């Protein structure tokens, strides 16, 4: 499932200063396989990678993988920065 990006949409409400990312639900056999990956996965590594505290937090393994793929796709293309009219800041590891 790694690297797979399912269809998604990004909606920005500048007045409310909010961003909504929505993705298509189950449509194919591959989607059903993602749904079946029900083992909870810790968000510690995701938190370190994306800048939030993931301690004591868990997500559906398949959904987390898809969410991380979408997040990576958005970042690689600078989508949120373009939509929000902001200049990306280089991250130094």
């Amino acid at each position: 499932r790694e690297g797979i990006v399912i269809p998604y949409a990004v909606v920005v409400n500048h007045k409310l200063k909010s961003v909504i990312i929505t993705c298509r639900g189950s449509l194919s056999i591959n989607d059903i396989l993602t749904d079946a990956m029900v083992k909870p996965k810790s968000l510690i590594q995701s938190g370190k990678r994306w800048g939030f505290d993931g301690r004591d937090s868990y997500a559906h393994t398949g959904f987390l993988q898809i969410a991380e793929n979408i997040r990576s796709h958005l970042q690689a293309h600078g989508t949120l920065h373009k939509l929000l009219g902001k200049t990306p800041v280089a991250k130094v590891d």
Side-chain angles (χ1 to χ4, degrees), residues 18-80:
S18 58
V19 175
I20 298 169
I21 301 170
T22 182
C23 56
R24 189 204 68 224
S26 300
L27 182 64
S28 67
I29 295 297
N30 284 337
D31 294 339
I32 293 168
L33 292 174
T34 296
D35 296 346
M37 298 169 65
V38 296
K39 183 178 178 186
K41 185 171 180 182
S42 170
L43 293 179
I44 290 173
Q45 291 302 320
S46 298
K48 288 178 182 178
R49 185 177 315 121
W50 304 115
F52 66 90
D53 183 3
R55 290 176 294 169
D56 299 320
S57 297
Y58 298 86
H60 180 287
T61 300
F63 295 170
L64 177 61
Q65 185 63 58
I66 295 298
E68 287 184 341
N69 292 347
I70 290 172
R71 170 67 164 79
S72 294
H73 192 256
L74 289 169
Q75 185 174 24
H77 292 88
T79 304
L80 295 178

Side-chain angles (χ1 to χ4, degrees), residues 77-88:
H77 292 88
T79 304
L80 295 178
H81 290 100
K82 290 174 189 171
L83 289 172
L84 298 172
K86 302 205 181 242
T87 303

